[in-house]
Amino acid sequence: MRRWVGLLLGLGLVLAQPTPAERAEGLRARLVEAQLELAFDPQAAAGLLQAAQAEAAALAKAGLTVDLKPLEEALGARDEAAFARARARLWTDLLRQGYLRLEEAVRSGDLAAAQGWALLREYRPATRYAAPEAEATLALEELRQGRLKPEEALLAVRADLLGAYQARLEAALRDLEEAQSQGQPVRAAEQRALAQGYFEILAPAYREARGAARLAEARQALASGPLGAIREALSGFQAAPLSPRERARRANQTLRFLDLVAVEYGRGVVGPAGAVRVTKSLEIEEATAFLESARAAWSALEPMFPAAKVEGVRQGFKGLEQGLQAARQGDSPPSAQALEEGVRALRQELEALLPAEWRRADPAGDLEVIRQQLKALENAVAQGRYDLAETARMDAYALLESGPEARLRVFAPALALEIEDLFWNGPDGLARLIQQKAPPSEVRETRRRLEAKLHEASGFLSTQSAPAATLANAAVIVFREGLEAVLILAALLGSLKRPEVRRFRRPLWQGALLAFGVTVLTWFAMRGLLTQFARYGERLEAVVSLLAIAVLLLIMNWFFHQVYWTDHLAGFHQQKQRLLRAETGQYLGLLSLGFVSVYREGFETVLFLQSLVLQSSLAPVLLGIGLGLLATVGVGLGVFALQAKLPYKRMLIATGVLLLLVLFTMVGTTAHVWQVVGWLPVHPIGGLALPYWAGMWLGLYPTWEGLGLQVLAAVAVLGSYFLAEGLKRRALPNNLRHT
C-alpha cells in the first residue's frame, strides 16, 4: 500500500513539474524585475538574479544552455545598458534553442516533446484586430491525428515560427530607431540585442539564401552598424517565403485596413487645420488599431523588397502614427482631410510596390477584415456606443457585399442568406440587436455565430478564383438576374398584341432599354465607388423593388380593367375614348414599369459583377457577361416566338398567370429585403424550413410578413380580375351576357 502511495505521489510530483517553457518564462520575469531594480536597489536586483539561478539550473537539466555570467558582470558594474543587452540576448537564445528542439522532435516523430517545445516561443506582434497566429500548434495537432505528414508539419512549423521571429526582428528595429531618436541608450541597447537574437534564429535560412560571407556582414551590421546598413543587409530577405495566396492576403489586408484608418479618423474629429477637435475618442482608437493591423500585415511583405524602395512606405506609416498620437493626446491633431491625404499617399506608395496579382481582391482575406470590424462593433457596444456599433456593422456588410458575397451567392446561396440574416434583421440579427440596444452578451453571441458562418464561408472562398470559374460565375449571375426581367417583359408584351393596345408595347421596350443604359452607367460609376454603393445596396434595392411592385400593380389593374374588358367591348366607343384620354398616364406607367423591372435586376447584377472583377480580372467577367446575355436573349427570343404562335385568348390567360407569378415572387423578395434593412417586422413561422432555391427563385421565406404579403398580392390581383369580369357582365346587354 505504501509503495502504491509513494508511486502516486511521485507521479504527481512529476506531473506538477513546470515545463521548459514555464521555466523560461519564470527566468525571464525575474530578470525583468532585476533590471527594474538595478537603478534603485542593486541588492534587490542581486537577490532576483540569485533566484533566477534555480530556473537556469532546471532549464539546464532539460538540455538548454543558460549563461548568467554576463548578467552578473553587468550587475557588478551597475551597467544598466549592459544588463538589458545581456538579458535580451539570453532570452532570444532560449527561443533559438527551443526552436531547434522543436524541429528535432518533429523530425524524429516525438509529438509529445514537439508539443512541449512549441510552447517556448514568441508570436507575431499582436494588434487589437490581428490575433497571434498558431499554425504550428494546429499543424502538430493534425500530425498527431494523422491528417498531416511529418514533412508538411515541419514546413508549417517553420513558416509560423520563422515568420513570427522575422516580424519580431522588424519590430525591434523600429523600436531601436525610436529609442535612438529619443536619446534612450538603455532601451536602444536592449532592442539592438533583441534584433541580434531574433536574427540568429533566422541565420540558417539567411546563410542558405545568401551564403556565409553575407551572413557575416549582416551579423556585423546588427552588432554595431547603423540602421541603414542593417536594413540594407536584410533587404529582400524572407526567412519563411510566403505562398502567392498568402502574399495576396497580406497585401489586401494592408490596403483594406489602411483605408479604414481614414474612415474612422474622419468620424472622430471635426474642424479645419489648426482648429481640429476630437469628438469621438473611440473612433481615434479604432483608427489607431486599424493602422497597427495594416502595419502588421505589411511587416510580412516588407522584407521582400529592397530597403531603398520601402523607405517611402516606412515614412508614410510613421507620419500617420504621429498624427494619430497627436489626436490621442489632444496636441494639435491633423484635420480629417490631412490624414486622408496621408493615407492616400501611403496607399500610392504601396500600390507602386505591390505587384498587380498581389493586389487582386482576395475574398478570404476580406473575411478576415470583416471579422476585425465585427470586433470593433462588439467593443463599441461594450462602451454603450450603439451608434458607432451600427457604423461598424454597415462597414463590415459593405465589404461583404462588395467582395465575397458574389461568390457565396453562386457556390453557397443558403449560407449567404444565413449570413445576411445575422448581419441584418433576422431573429438575432446584429441590426435588430443594435437598434434595440441589446446587452453586450447578446451582441457577443450573435457575433460569434456570425464569425462561425464566416469561417464556414472561407471554405468556399479559399480556392483561387480561376478565370474559367470567374467566367462561369459572371454568366450565371447575368442569366439569373436577366431571366426575371425577361419574364416580366414577356408577360406584358404578350398581352399587348391587339391592334388597339399594340402602341403600349413601345414604352415597355423604351423603359427596358433606358434601364439597360442606366445599368451600364452604373457599372462605370461603381468602378470607383464600389464600397459606397455596397453600403446602401440593400436599401436602394428595397426602394427600387417597392417602386417596381407599385407600378406592376397599377399596370395589372389597368390590364384587367382595360385589356380584358376592351377585348369584349371593342365596339363601345365610349370605352375607347376613355382609353385614349388616359393614354399619357398609361404610357408613362408602362415606361416606368419597363425601367424599374430591368434596373432592379441590373443594379444587383452590376454590384456582384464588380466584386468578381476585383477577385479575378476584367476579361473573364466580360466574357461571362457576354455568355449570360446571349443565354438571356436566347430564352427571351424563345419566349417571344412561342407567344407569337399562341392564340390570343390563351395568351391572355398565360400572360396573366405569368404576371401573377412574377408579382408573387417580387413581393416575397421585396418583403425579405425590407426585413433585412429593418423596415418591416420579422416574425418567423416556427417549424417551417424552406430550401434556399425557394427564396432565390420564388421569393419564399418562412416569415408571416413575407408569405402574408404574397398571399395578399395574389388575392388583390385575382380580386381585381373577378371585379373586372363582374363589372363587364353588368354593363353588357342581356342578349350578350351568355355569348
Side-chain angles (χ1 to χ4, degrees):
M1 183 67 179
R2 290 180 180 178
R3 186 178 63 178
W4 286 108
V5 171
L7 288 174
L8 290 174
L9 289 175
L11 180 60
L13 289 174
V14 170
L15 293 177
Q17 289 296 318
T19 65
E22 292 171 334
R23 290 289 191 187
E25 284 293 342
L27 175 63
R28 183 187 190 187
R30 283 179 170 80
L31 294 181
V32 169
E33 292 178 33
Q35 181 175 332
L36 294 174
E37 293 288 353
L38 180 57
F40 306 101
D41 189 349
Q43 287 186 345
L48 289 166
L49 185 57
Q50 185 66 31
Q53 292 284 359
E55 303 290 358
L59 288 171
K61 290 181 180 180
L64 299 181
T65 302
V66 183
D67 185 7
L68 296 181
K69 186 175 294 185
L71 289 161
E72 294 171 352
E73 293 174 354
L75 179 60
R78 297 190 181 181
D79 188 339
E80 294 182 55
F83 193 95
R85 186 184 305 113
R87 185 181 64 79
R89 290 303 304 271
L90 174 62
W91 169 247
T92 52
D93 190 59
L94 286 174
L95 294 176
R96 181 187 63 82
Q97 295 181 68
Y99 173 70
L100 293 176
R101 299 296 190 282
L102 171 60
E103 277 203 359
E104 182 181 346
V106 173
R107 287 196 196 94
S108 63
D110 189 348
L111 295 182
Q115 290 176 326
W117 288 116
L119 300 175
L120 180 53
R121 61 163 298 180
E122 281 190 353
Y123 296 87
R124 293 178 185 272
T127 69
R128 184 173 170 185
Y129 297 129
E133 298 175 351
E135 283 84 355
T137 304
L138 296 176
L140 292 177
E141 179 62 24
E142 290 181 356
L143 178 61
R144 186 186 65 80
Q145 296 174 359
R147 294 185 295 166
L148 209 61
K149 297 179 180 178
E151 57 270 20
E152 295 173 336
L154 186 58
L155 287 175
V157 166
R158 285 176 174 169
D160 185 4
L161 271 74
L162 293 183
Y165 291 134
Q166 185 153 10
R168 287 285 179 179
L169 171 58
E170 292 294 327
L173 292 177
R174 289 196 300 270
D175 290 342
L176 172 60
E177 181 180 16
E178 183 178 340
Q180 289 178 341
S181 66
Q182 297 179 359
Q184 300 172 339
V186 175
R187 184 185 175 205
E190 179 180 354
Q191 295 304 319
R192 184 181 285 272
L194 283 173
Q196 287 180 272
Y198 291 131
F199 180 75
E200 286 304 315
I201 303 175
L202 312 177
Y206 194 95
R207 179 188 294 109
E208 183 178 351
R210 301 188 177 183
R214 294 286 300 277
L215 174 60
E217 294 174 1
R219 281 172 168 162
Q220 182 61 37
L222 282 158
S224 57
L227 274 169
I230 297 174
R231 295 194 182 282
E232 183 62 33
L234 298 176
S235 175
F237 168 64
Q238 185 71 37
L242 302 177
S243 66
R245 180 159 186 82
E246 184 64 18
R247 294 173 188 175
R249 187 171 75 91
R250 297 287 182 182
N252 273 274
Q253 287 180 348
T254 301
L255 297 176
R256 290 287 198 186
F257 281 126
L258 189 60
D259 289 340
L260 291 172
V261 173
V263 173
E264 298 296 333
Y265 186 82
R267 292 170 179 162
V269 299
V270 295
V276 178
R277 183 166 49 88
V278 175
T279 58
K280 298 177 181 177
S281 58
L282 183 59
E283 296 286 10
I284 307 303
E285 294 300 323
E286 300 292 351
T288 302
F290 283 131
L291 183 62
E292 292 174 356
S293 298
R295 181 187 276 283
W298 167 247
S299 66
L301 301 174
E302 183 174 324
M304 305 178 69
F305 300 96
K309 290 189 175 182
V310 299
E311 183 59 31
V313 174
R314 194 175 296 119
Q315 293 302 320
F317 273 114
K318 187 175 181 180
L320 292 176
E321 287 172 352
Q322 292 173 346
L324 292 176
Q325 184 177 5
R328 293 196 305 273
Q329 297 175 351
D331 182 16
S332 301
S335 66
Q337 182 179 358
L339 191 122
E340 184 178 357
E341 290 174 355
V343 168
R344 189 181 303 115
L346 176 53
R347 204 180 204 283
Q348 290 173 353
E349 292 277 356
L350 289 166
E351 290 176 344
L353 279 175
L354 298 171
E357 59 269 20
W358 295 12
R359 289 184 281 113
R360 185 175 300 158
D362 176 30
D366 287 344
L367 291 181
E368 179 60 30
V369 180
I370 291 170
R371 291 189 189 99
Q372 313 313 337
Q373 290 177 308
L374 292 176
K375 291 179 182 177
L377 180 154
E378 185 177 344
N379 292 337
V381 169
Q383 298 188 30
R385 296 303 306 271
Y386 288 87
D387 55 334
L388 301 184
E390 172 62 12
T391 299
R393 184 192 69 83
M394 286 299 296
D395 287 342
Y397 184 74
L399 182 55
L400 174 73
E401 192 168 34
S402 65
E405 190 177 38
R407 290 186 68 188
L408 281 180
R409 286 289 182 95
V410 175
F411 291 112
L415 180 59
L417 291 176
E418 291 180 41
I419 291 174
E420 187 177 76
D421 285 343
L422 288 172
F423 257 111
W424 289 88
N425 288 278
D428 299 312
L430 287 175
R432 175 186 295 276
L433 294 177
I434 292 172
Q435 184 180 14
Q436 297 174 350
K437 295 186 177 180
S441 58
E442 294 185 20
V443 175
R444 185 182 308 112
E445 178 60 29
T446 294
R447 182 187 68 80
R448 289 175 178 173
R449 290 175 54 196
L450 183 53
E451 285 198 356
K453 293 298 179 182
L454 292 174
H455 179 74
E456 184 180 348
S458 65
F460 295 96
L461 304 172
S462 59
T463 56
Q464 189 67 32
S465 183
T470 301
L471 186 151
N473 292 347
V476 168
I477 290 171
V478 170
F479 180 69
R480 159 69 179 82
E481 303 298 334
L483 188 59
E484 289 192 20
V486 166
L487 290 176
I488 296 176
L489 290 175
L492 287 172
L493 291 170
S495 64
L496 298 174
K497 297 177 64 175
R498 296 279 294 182
E500 302 94 299
V501 293
R502 282 188 68 86
R503 62 186 180 277
F504 292 116
R505 294 165 65 93
R506 179 177 296 178
L508 275 175
W509 280 116
Q510 290 174 340
L513 291 175
L514 178 62
F516 186 81
V518 174
T519 299
V520 173
L521 293 177
T522 304
W523 165 278
F524 289 106
M526 280 192 178
R527 293 290 289 170
L529 299 172
L530 183 60
T531 302
Q532 288 83 346
F533 270 85
R535 182 180 176 88
Y536 302 105
E538 298 286 355
R539 288 183 169 89
L540 183 57
E541 183 183 351
V543 173
V544 174
S545 298
L546 183 64
L547 180 61
I549 290 176
V551 175
L552 183 58
L553 283 171
L554 187 65
I555 296 303
M556 290 188 71
N557 182 67
W558 167 82
F559 179 78
F560 285 130
H561 284 76
Q562 297 290 346
V563 176
Y564 281 104
W565 200 348
T566 303
D567 179 49
H568 293 281
L569 303 178
F572 288 76
H573 296 287
Q574 182 180 3
Q575 298 299 332
K576 290 184 179 181
Q577 292 299 321
R578 185 179 303 165
L579 181 63
L580 291 175
R581 284 197 301 269
E583 182 173 338
T584 300
Q586 293 161 358
Y587 181 93
L588 292 176
L590 288 167
L591 180 72
S592 301
L593 180 61
F595 177 83
V596 296
S597 299
V598 174
Y599 187 68
R600 174 179 175 272
E601 310 301 331
F603 176 82
E604 188 173 5
T605 302
V606 166
L607 186 63
F608 288 157
L609 292 177
Q610 286 290 352
S611 68
L612 288 180
V613 171
L614 292 176
Q615 296 167 23
S616 179
S617 61
L618 184 60
V621 173
L622 291 178
L623 289 175
I625 292 174
L627 289 177
L629 286 176
L630 284 177
T632 303
V633 171
V635 171
L637 291 176
V639 171
F640 295 139
L642 181 64
Q643 288 178 348
K645 297 178 181 179
L646 290 176
Y648 178 65
K649 292 290 293 181
R650 293 180 181 177
M651 193 67 243
L652 286 175
I653 298 173
T655 54
V657 172
L658 186 56
L659 272 177
L660 181 60
L661 178 62
V662 169
L663 178 66
F664 184 84
T665 302
M666 189 181 294
V667 168
T669 303
T670 302
H672 176 68
V673 173
W674 273 58
Q675 288 174 326
V676 162
V677 300
W679 295 349
L680 188 67
V682 181
H683 292 90
I685 301 177
L688 179 60
L690 298 175
Y692 76 87
W693 58 262
M696 295 292 290
W697 291 94
L698 299 176
L700 290 170
Y701 297 92
T703 68
W704 289 108
E705 292 82 4
L707 294 179
L709 287 172
Q710 286 178 298
V711 171
L712 183 62
V715 169
V717 171
L718 293 175
S720 177
Y721 168 73
F722 288 114
L723 177 62
E725 286 292 315
L727 293 174
K728 176 194 69 176
R729 291 184 177 277
R730 291 181 183 179
L732 286 173
N734 289 332
N735 61 338
L736 295 178
R737 290 183 183 178
H738 304 287
T739 61

